[in-house]
Amino acid sequence: MSDQEKRQRKPAIGYTRTSSAANVGDDKDSVVRQQKAIQAYANRAGYKIVAWFDDPAVAGSDMIDARPGFMAALERIAGNGVRTVIVETANRFARDLIVQETGWKRLQADGITLIAADSPDQFVDDTPTAVLIRQILGAVAQFDKAMTVAKLRGARERKRRKTGGKVEGRRSWVEKSQEDSAEGRRIAEMIQAVQNLDRQGLSLREIAAELDRLGHRNERGAVFSPSSVNSMLA
């Protein structure tokens, strides 16, 4: 490729997302795989990835405004004029059909093009056929996710009935707060703060911002998402 061709490449942002915390880390290949697929498409289609943004351990059903990585990407876009976001697949953008459609429509309204590397036209064409296909694929992904969750839940229930005890999984905030440790006491203090702020009528996003001001952040050092705040209240 000539230097002139390299200079003529269109700028784009690469976005990756990993649903499970178990797939996050230097020894995991999820993000690496996604980046390779995005970069390969960018090379073929004449794009230059100018920045990468990632949302580790963020569910595909979370709205885009609840994702720190994606919101940071939108801030970058607002500041540098980039108008293209490339993801590995539509599922990496969102598994939930409603989230997928509303998120795509929001980007479209802001003049931002969303491209799935494995199916470049999926978020570009707006013909009735393209919309139908996009909705069907989104519904299939949503159904697949629901079936996986149901299978895991069934496996846990069978194990619980067999052992008569608690099946290990992600501990709740209450369980973490009951630990006899400095971390347990910190979490208990944080939950108490969340409950007090909720009684004051603050929104989930406002509570997350106040937690950040008080020095409370998640295990990745990022501001808590509204969904995390909601789980503390639950």
Side-chain angles (χ1 to χ4, degrees):
M1 181 184 300
S2 67
D3 291 340
Q4 182 178 0
E5 287 176 322
K6 290 181 179 178
R7 287 194 296 270
Q8 291 177 342
R9 283 179 169 267
K10 297 164 287 187
I13 281 175
Y15 173 71
T16 59
R17 180 187 63 78
T18 307
S19 299
S20 172
N23 291 327
V24 177
D26 294 337
D27 60 334
K28 307 299 181 182
D29 67 350
S30 178
V31 172
V32 174
R33 185 202 68 239
Q34 292 179 57
Q35 289 182 340
K36 285 182 178 179
I38 292 170
Q39 188 63 66
Y41 169 78
N43 293 342
R44 294 194 307 271
Y47 287 96
K48 176 183 179 182
I49 303 298
V50 298
W52 292 94
F53 291 89
D54 179 44
D55 270 318
V58 169
S61 57
D62 286 357
M63 301 298 288
I64 62 174
D65 61 358
R67 305 180 186 184
F70 202 87
M71 294 309 292
L74 293 184
E75 290 178 9
R76 175 69 181 270
I77 286 173
N80 66 5
V82 178
R83 284 293 175 268
T84 303
V85 176
I86 304 176
V87 295
E88 179 195 25
T89 66
N91 291 349
R92 288 300 100 196
F93 176 60
R95 278 187 177 275
D96 185 279
L97 178 58
I98 299 300
V99 175
Q100 195 176 102
E101 282 298 296
T102 56
W104 176 72
K105 283 294 185 182
R106 173 178 171 178
L107 296 180
Q108 187 184 49
D110 290 338
I112 300 170
T113 299
L114 178 65
I115 299 176
D118 71 329
S119 181
D121 293 333
Q122 186 162 344
F123 290 113
V124 176
D125 291 343
D126 203 18
T127 63
T129 300
V131 171
L132 176 62
I133 292 173
R134 188 167 60 245
Q135 290 176 337
I136 290 174
L137 291 176
V140 169
Q142 184 175 345
F143 174 76
D144 180 63
K145 177 67 173 181
M147 287 297 293
T148 300
V149 171
K151 288 177 182 178
L152 291 173
R153 184 186 301 116
R156 288 195 298 269
E157 288 298 328
R158 287 191 296 273
K159 185 174 181 179
R160 184 177 292 110
R161 288 194 297 269
K162 183 177 180 179
T163 62
K166 182 180 185 299
V167 177
E168 289 301 321
R170 180 176 293 183
R171 293 175 301 159
S172 68
W173 287 105
V174 171
E175 289 173 320
K176 293 178 182 178
S177 70
Q178 293 172 345
E179 291 182 357
D180 185 16
S181 64
E183 179 65 10
R185 289 187 289 274
R186 185 190 71 82
I187 292 176
E189 176 187 339
M190 181 174 65
I191 292 177
Q192 184 62 55
V194 168
Q195 292 172 341
N196 291 339
L197 293 168
D198 180 59
R199 283 193 287 269
Q200 294 174 29
L202 273 67
S203 67
L204 296 178
R205 190 172 299 281
E206 289 170 335
I207 293 175
E210 184 63 17
L211 287 179
D212 182 45
R213 189 187 69 79
L214 294 173
H216 295 298
R217 291 197 162 205
N218 65 22
E219 64 274 9
R220 301 188 304 276
V223 179
F224 281 107
S225 68
S227 60
S228 293
V229 173
N230 190 49
S231 68
M232 294 181 207
L233 290 171

